[in-house]
Amino acid sequence: MLNVIDLNKKENKLVIEKFSQLKSERSKYIARWKDVQDYVAITNNITSAFEDNEGSETKQKDVYINDPTGFICTNQAGDYLAGILWSQNAITLEPTEEVIKQGGEGLDEFYKKATEVTLNQINSTDAGFQTALKSYCYDQVSYGTSGIGTFKSREYEAGQSECCLNFKAYGVHNCCIDEGASNKVNVIYTVYNWSISRIIEEFCFIDGEFNNAYFKELPDEIKNAYNAGNLNLKKKIIYGILPNNYYKMNKRGKNGAKYKGYWFLEGTKKIFKVEYFLELPIAICRYIRVNNQIYGESAGTLAISSIRISVK
């Protein structure tokens, strides 16, 4: 469910302040993550989304080492984990106890077909699941914190694809997180470095048509750049997903959504778009959870000192 804007000033302020707080907490881990990146990890530069240093992502991966054992182990362990987590027939849909009690004919055939359709959608190359899964597994082994997001495909909505799902990879390179009372990660902020043309395409087109009401809600910086024709100019867009404080069980509509998504431009104080989700669309997992640490640990983070010495 999408709205152009749906929040009060207090909520707007709290969401933006929460991002600043979590970004500051994330910074405490960066020095160690950089070591993991240099000696173990095979994925993105962990500051690429948060800092203006996109060019550093092209640096040779083995510039700090003479022995590639760390990278090889990460690759093999990540591939092994991916093989455990997923196969072509990894899931089977079955009726709940409530459905079984209600009876009915043809349930077995229905759920068999539903399973087939679901697997076809997830395994479709247009969904991007395999790519997201590999990134998830490599980052689990390296940093101990990563996740996968599941969203409705924009291409499907536009009638350009038969696949309705779109999977995205999340990790320490593009997220800052927090956990709730149950120790589950339930607050996720993601940083996107998007061009003006990408931002307009993402937020101002509904069913292939330009929507002026959505355009008016964008920050002035973005509107001015678009009107001036600076379509390749990049801006940092922040997307925060937090529990919906107005959620109530058995409710429908906005108050029946457990989570709320907020879009805003970094450095500004105004949220320009709000979304609602029945369930948390991004699942973040921590390989090893240590005491009250927000971010997870892994073999890469716990043994980085020994790894650094052994591979030099």
Side-chain angles (χ1 to χ4, degrees):
M1 294 177 287
L2 304 179
N3 283 323
V4 177
I5 194 69
D6 179 27
L7 74 167
N8 54 47
K9 291 182 179 180
K10 180 180 179 181
E11 185 179 2
N12 187 110
K13 183 172 182 289
L14 288 174
V15 169
I16 293 177
E17 287 180 349
K18 184 70 172 177
F19 171 68
S20 297
Q21 173 195 337
L22 295 185
K23 185 178 178 182
S24 177
E25 175 67 21
R26 176 187 178 275
S27 68
K28 299 175 184 177
Y29 297 82
I30 289 178
R32 186 151 54 113
W33 287 343
K34 282 186 175 180
D35 273 348
V36 172
Q37 171 189 292
D38 292 339
Y39 297 98
V40 178
I42 59 176
T43 50
N44 286 347
N45 185 321
I46 58 98
T47 61
S48 60
F50 287 83
E51 308 295 339
D52 296 320
N53 62 349
E54 295 178 26
S56 63
E57 293 184 33
T58 61
K59 185 185 293 184
Q60 186 72 18
K61 289 299 297 180
D62 62 355
V63 69
Y64 298 103
I65 65 170
N66 292 314
D67 183 347
T69 301
F71 297 140
I72 293 172
C73 288
T74 298
N75 187 24
Q76 292 180 343
D79 288 345
Y80 180 70
L81 179 59
I84 293 174
L85 292 176
W86 192 258
S87 66
Q88 291 298 311
N89 299 300
I91 63 172
T92 302
L93 301 182
E94 297 180 353
T96 63
E97 291 294 331
E98 182 179 354
V99 172
I100 293 174
K101 288 178 181 178
Q102 292 177 359
E105 298 296 329
L107 285 179
D108 291 342
E109 192 62 32
F110 170 81
Y111 281 95
K112 181 180 178 181
K113 184 62 177 179
T115 298
E116 179 184 337
V117 171
T118 301
L119 285 169
N120 286 340
Q121 289 287 314
I122 295 173
N123 292 323
S124 169
T125 54
D126 288 346
F129 177 71
Q130 291 297 330
T131 301
L133 177 64
K134 284 297 183 73
S135 294
Y136 166 82
C137 292
Y138 292 149
D139 280 1
Q140 280 291 297
V141 175
S142 302
Y143 303 107
T145 304
S146 60
I148 297 178
T150 309
F151 300 93
K152 190 174 182 179
S153 168
R154 293 177 67 251
E155 287 76 14
Y156 176 81
E157 290 182 318
Q160 299 170 348
S161 173
E162 294 182 352
C163 180
C164 65
L165 299 176
N166 179 234
F167 295 93
K168 298 178 182 178
Y170 295 86
V172 299
H173 65 283
N174 66 352
C175 286
C176 33
I177 62 174
D178 199 5
E179 60 182 20
S182 64
N183 298 324
K184 172 186 175 182
V185 174
N186 65 351
V187 175
I188 304 163
Y189 285 87
T190 306
V191 180
Y192 297 102
N193 289 301
W194 283 350
S195 66
I196 296 298
S197 60
R198 171 69 188 276
I199 294 170
I200 297 300
E201 180 184 351
E202 188 77 23
F203 298 109
C204 298
F205 282 84
I206 307 298
D207 296 327
E209 298 291 331
F210 182 83
N211 188 296
N212 195 53
Y214 277 61
F215 179 75
K216 287 181 179 179
E217 291 295 334
L218 292 177
D220 289 339
E221 285 185 46
I222 296 174
K223 289 187 291 187
N224 292 339
Y226 177 74
N227 290 329
N230 296 325
L231 302 184
N232 292 324
L233 179 67
K234 288 193 172 183
K235 294 290 183 179
K236 282 187 172 59
I237 300 294
I238 314 301
Y239 184 40
I241 300 177
L242 292 83
N244 181 9
N245 292 330
Y246 301 100
Y247 167 71
K248 297 290 183 183
M249 291 182 63
N250 302 320
K251 292 286 185 179
R252 294 187 177 184
K254 300 173 184 177
N255 292 343
K258 292 183 181 179
Y259 295 92
K260 204 168 180 179
Y262 307 86
W263 293 92
F264 59 95
L265 179 66
E266 187 176 43
T268 63
K269 297 182 179 180
K270 181 188 176 185
I271 292 166
F272 63 81
K273 190 169 186 178
V274 174
E275 298 178 328
Y276 291 88
F277 297 97
L278 297 177
E279 301 290 344
L280 189 63
I282 302 173
I284 298 288
C285 180
R286 291 162 294 179
Y287 197 82
I288 302 171
R289 186 179 179 277
V290 179
N291 298 326
N292 294 320
Q293 277 189 198
I294 300 300
Y295 293 89
E297 299 282 2
S298 71
T301 59
L302 292 174
I304 187 59
S305 296
S306 298
I307 294 171
R308 184 170 53 235
I309 293 171
S310 65
V311 300
K312 277 190 174 182

